[in-house]
Amino acid sequence: MFGRDSAAVVVVCVLALAGCTFEGGGSTAAEATETEVSAASTPASSSEPASASPSTIPTGSPSASASASLSPTPVPVRSPGQTLVSMNISGGFAGVGQSVVLRGDGTVRARDDREGSVVRRTTAAEFRELRLLLGDPALDDVSDFTMNMSAADLFQYEVRFEGRTVRTDRSAEQPPLDALISALSAFLPKG
């Protein structure tokens, strides 16, 4: 009833739905799916072994496979006064107005309309982590605009980095952007 290729696809789908890992090594079900699909699409008579190289992994966009294979490297700092990233938060039920700016010297200026402003220096570990988040190649695949126009009272985030402006209300999951927003939000004044 099922051919070898159909059975492989069914197994992969079951593993993906169950959230299982694949062959030790910490691979995710999605990676297992890509490997199985690649192996299933290789003809049985081929003398080449099936591999999960980026050229054989089916993905939604070419840049997604390129970004996924690259490791984050900290963004370079050209000068102490350089703005590495800025984030403005607005909206919400009560009408929030907040901002965070990270400079090249490791200082963070955070402002909350109700709580005032605070300037502090990041630790070496915090500064490196923020620069790694900014250097994540997966940020290249994040959409510049993701807003749920039918949702009311969501916070709106405007994040500026490397000549780019990204606007989101976080209604759609974007892990690299969500991690950056969460890390920057930790510097906001606490009331």
Side-chain angles (χ1 to χ4, degrees), residues 16-128:
L17 289 173
C20 296
T21 59
F22 180 69
E23 293 188 55
S27 297
T28 64
E31 292 170 30
T33 301
E34 294 168 350
T35 302
E36 285 296 322
V37 169
S38 175
S41 64
T42 303
S45 63
S46 171
S47 61
E48 293 289 323
S51 68
S53 69
S55 62
T56 61
I57 297 174
T59 59
S61 72
S63 61
S65 63
S67 298
S69 65
L70 299 175
S71 297
T73 55
V75 294
V77 176
R78 292 184 301 278
S79 72
Q82 172 189 4
T83 297
L84 296 176
V85 62
S86 66
M87 177 177 74
N88 293 312
I89 306 169
S90 61
F93 181 72
V96 167
Q98 300 172 318
S99 66
V100 178
V101 177
L102 172 65
R103 300 239 182 243
D105 63 357
T107 58
V108 174
R109 177 179 300 277
R111 180 192 51 79
D112 183 303
D113 288 348
R114 295 185 187 126
E115 303 295 326
S117 295
V118 63
V119 177
R120 71 174 271 245
R121 182 167 297 281
T122 60
T123 65
E126 290 170 330
F127 191 51
R128 179 166 170 75

Side-chain angles (χ1 to χ4, degrees), residues 65-188:
S65 63
S67 298
S69 65
L70 299 175
S71 297
T73 55
V75 294
V77 176
R78 292 184 301 278
S79 72
Q82 172 189 4
T83 297
L84 296 176
V85 62
S86 66
M87 177 177 74
N88 293 312
I89 306 169
S90 61
F93 181 72
V96 167
Q98 300 172 318
S99 66
V100 178
V101 177
L102 172 65
R103 300 239 182 243
D105 63 357
T107 58
V108 174
R109 177 179 300 277
R111 180 192 51 79
D112 183 303
D113 288 348
R114 295 185 187 126
E115 303 295 326
S117 295
V118 63
V119 177
R120 71 174 271 245
R121 182 167 297 281
T122 60
T123 65
E126 290 170 330
F127 191 51
R128 179 166 170 75
E129 178 64 23
L130 288 166
R131 290 176 49 229
L132 276 171
L133 290 170
L134 286 166
D136 188 344
L139 277 176
D140 295 340
D141 297 329
V142 169
S143 175
D144 286 346
F145 187 84
T146 53
M147 298 276 192
N148 182 346
M149 302 313 269
S150 63
D153 299 328
L154 292 177
F155 291 120
Q156 297 173 3
Y157 300 83
E158 180 181 272
V159 184
R160 295 175 186 258
F161 57 96
E162 296 185 355
R164 204 174 153 200
T165 302
V166 176
R167 292 180 179 87
T168 184
D169 58 10
R170 297 182 85 176
S171 58
E173 284 189 36
Q174 300 182 91
L177 182 62
D178 292 339
L180 179 60
I181 289 172
S182 294
L184 292 170
S185 295
F187 291 96
L188 290 167

Side-chain angles (χ1 to χ4, degrees), residues 2-22 29 32-33 36-37:
F2 287 110
R4 185 178 72 102
D5 293 343
S6 298
V9 171
V10 169
V11 168
V12 169
C13 290
V14 170
L15 286 172
L17 289 173
C20 296
T21 59
F22 180 69
T33 301
E36 285 296 322
V37 169

